Amino acid sequence: EMILIIEDNEKNRKLVRDVLQVKGYATIESETAEEGLKLAVEKSPALILMDIQLPGMDGIEALKHLKADPGTKDIPVIAITASAMTHNRKTMLAEGFDGYQTKPISLKDFLEEVRRVLDARGS
């Protein structure tokens, strides 16, 4: 199962990549939503991890693009936000995200959420 990580902070990206790869997931990465959208179309990942605060287009805007494209609309997306942000789980799920995690991420919760969202999609 391939997971696309859209996250502009290299340290966060590395943490997420390492923990997912240890669990046997393949990962691809992007630092911007714009590049991430291109990768989503080209690679059809099983899941997208979307940082909300991105340079340029933000994660909520990027999700709208994913949902508007027939090729990517069914890919589940987990929102990742800094815990100080006003975006809470309810708001994010209402926006159309399939899951939600706050940073700094708790690895156990994070992996459970990844598994839950993938299982919900029947993969």
Side-chain angles (χ1 to χ4, degrees), residues 47-50 63 66-67 75-79 96-99 117:
L47 173 67
I48 297 172
L49 302 173
M50 179 84 74
L63 181 76
L66 288 167
K67 295 297 180 200
I75 303 172
V77 185
I78 294 178
F97 287 95
D98 299 273
V117 171

Side-chain angles (χ1 to χ4, degrees), residues 3-5 19 22 37-38 40 49 57 63 91 98 116:
I3 298 180
L4 168 58
I5 304 162
V19 68
V22 163
L37 291 172
K38 259 196 337 227
L49 302 173
M57 187 192 300
L63 181 76
T91 320
D98 299 273
R116 181 188 70 74

Side-chain angles (χ1 to χ4, degrees), residues 14-112:
K14 180 180 180 340
L15 173 71
V16 170
R17 177 204 319 140
D18 291 350
V19 68
L20 289 171
Q21 288 182 357
V22 163
K23 291 291 176 186
Y25 298 105
T27 59
I28 44 176
E29 295 165 38
S30 160
E31 291 183 37
T32 66
E34 290 85 348
E35 188 197 344
L37 291 172
K38 259 196 337 227
L39 282 172
V41 171
E42 288 165 16
K43 309 282 189 190
S44 295
L47 173 67
I48 297 172
L49 302 173
M50 179 84 74
D51 185 31
I52 297 303
Q53 300 86 32
L54 291 163
M57 187 192 300
D58 73 11
I60 293 170
E61 184 63 25
L63 181 76
K64 293 190 171 85
H65 285 272
L66 288 167
K67 295 297 180 200
D69 184 329
T72 55
K73 70 176 173 52
D74 295 325
I75 303 172
V77 185
I78 294 178
I80 301 182
T81 72
S83 49
M85 292 296 293
T86 49
H87 304 304
N88 59 26
R89 175 179 287 271
K90 206 166 136 222
T91 320
M92 289 290 107
L93 299 181
E95 288 283 358
F97 287 95
D98 299 273
Y100 171 81
Q101 289 288 293
T102 51
K103 293 190 279 196
I105 61 170
S106 142
L107 295 183
K108 182 174 166 290
D109 291 350
F110 169 69
L111 286 168
E112 280 171 7

